[in-house]
C-alpha cells in the first residue's frame, strides 16, 4: 500500500483510509475480519465519528490489540467546548483508547457553525487544550462549504483538513480546488472524501443507505474517479460508506497510477449535465 506524508505532521498514511461507517450495523465478527484484512493489506488510516450510529463501538472492539498499528481519526459535531468534550469522552470509551491521532470538527458548513467554533467557549478551545494535554496529537476539520473551509484555514493552526475532492464537483461546481490549494500553501494535510460520489439522490431513494448521495454505479468509472482524486495534491481518500465500494478502492490503491489527461477528459464528458453534490 502506497503511503503519503500528511502535511506538516510527518505522518505517513495509506492513500486509502478506512471509513468507520463501513462497520455501522455490521455483525461484530464481520467487522473484526474487515478491519483485520484492511490492516493486513496496508491500511493504517482509520476515520470514524460518533454520528455514525454504532460504528465507534464496532470499530473499537475490532481494534483491540491493533491500536498501535493505526492512525485513528475521530470527529465531533459539538460546536462548543462543553458539548465537544462530552462527545470526545464518549468516543474514547467506545473506541477503547485514551488518545486520538487526529481530532476534527465535523461537517462545518454554516456561518453559525463557524462563529460558535471560534467564539470564547467554542470547540477550538477544546482542540487547543486537548492537544496540549496529549489527548489528541493533531487537529483538523471537515467542511461542506468552500467559504467556511477557507475561513477556518485562516482562523486556527490546523494540522489537517478533510474535504470533498470529486470530479463532478470540480468540473460542474467549482467546488474543492481552491480549498486544497490553500491548505497546500499552508502545508496543512489534505484528506479527501466523496471521491466516488456521482450526484444527488431523492430522499425517497433507499439504495446505498450509508450514503446520502448517489455513488457512481459503473465500477470502471468509480475507479477512474478515485484515481482522479488521488492524483490531486492530497494524502489519502476515504471511500463511500457502502461496503461494496471498499474492495474497489483497495484495488485502485494496490495498482495505483496517476490519472492521464485523456482519462480526465473522459471524466469531464461523463460529468456533463450532472448535478454535483456540492457547489462553490
Amino acid at each position: 500500500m502506497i503511503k503519503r506524508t500528511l502535511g506538516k505532521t510527518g505522518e505517513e498514511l495509506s492513500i486509502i483510509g478506512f471509513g468507520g461507517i463501513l462497520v455501522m450495523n455490521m455483525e461484530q465478527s464481520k467487522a473484526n475480519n474487515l478491519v483485520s484484512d484492511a490492516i493486513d493489506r496496508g491500511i493504517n488510516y482509520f476515520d470514524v465519528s460518533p454520528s455514525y450510529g454504532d460504528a465507534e463501538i464496532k470499530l473499537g472492539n475490532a481494534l483491540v490489540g491493533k491500536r498501535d498499528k493505526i492512525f485513528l481519526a475521530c470527529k465531533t459535531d459539538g460546536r462548543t467546548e462543553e458539548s465537544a468534550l462530552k462527545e470526545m469522552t464518549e468516543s474514547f470509551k467506545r473506541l477503547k483508547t485514551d488518545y486520538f491521532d487526529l481530532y476534527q470538527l465535523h461537517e462545518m458548513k454554516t456561518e453559525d457553525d463557524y462563529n460558535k467554533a471560534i467564539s470564547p467557549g467554542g470547540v477550538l478551545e477544546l482542540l487547543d487544550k486537548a492537544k496540549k494535554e496529549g489527548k489528541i496529537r493533531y487537529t483538523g476539520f471537515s467542511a461542506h462549504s468552500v467559504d467556511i473551509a477557507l475561513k477556518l484555514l485562516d482562523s486556527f493552526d490546523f494540522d489537517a483538513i478533510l474535504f470533498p475532492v470529486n470530479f463532478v464537483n470540480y468540473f460542474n461546481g467549482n467546488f474543492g480546488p481552491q480549498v486544497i490549494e490553500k491548505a497546500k500553501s499552508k502545508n496543512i494535510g489534505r484528506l479527501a472524501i466523496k471521491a466516488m460520489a456521482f450526484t444527488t439522490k431523492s430522499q425517497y431513494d433507499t439504495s446505498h443507505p450509508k450514503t446520502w448521495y448517489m455513488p457512481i454505479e459503473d465500477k470502471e468509472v468509480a475507479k477512474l474517479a478515485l484515481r482522479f482524486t488521488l492524483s490531486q495534491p492530497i494524502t489519502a481518500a476515504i471511500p463511500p460508506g457502502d461496503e461494496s465500494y471498499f474492495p474497489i478502492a483497495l484495488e485502485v490503491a494496490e495498482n495505483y497510477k496517476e490519472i492521464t489527461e485523456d482519462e480526465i477528459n473522459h471524466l469531464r464528458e461523463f460529468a456533463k449535465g450532472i448535478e454535483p453534490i456540492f457547489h462553490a
Side-chain angles (χ1 to χ4, degrees), residues 150-171:
L150 295 175
K151 289 175 72 170
L152 281 167
L153 288 170
D154 283 332
S155 300
F156 189 80
D157 186 22
F158 288 104
D159 298 298
I161 177 173
L162 178 64
F163 200 75
V165 180
N166 167 272
F167 75 102
V168 182
N169 290 351
Y170 268 44
F171 299 152

Side-chain angles (χ1 to χ4, degrees), residues 74-93:
C74 194
K75 309 185 184 88
T76 178
D77 288 297
R79 301 298 184 238
T80 66
E81 181 179 1
E82 182 181 8
S83 60
L85 178 59
K86 184 177 179 181
E87 277 199 328
M88 177 188 283
T89 302
E90 188 64 25
S91 291
F92 280 146
K93 290 178 183 176

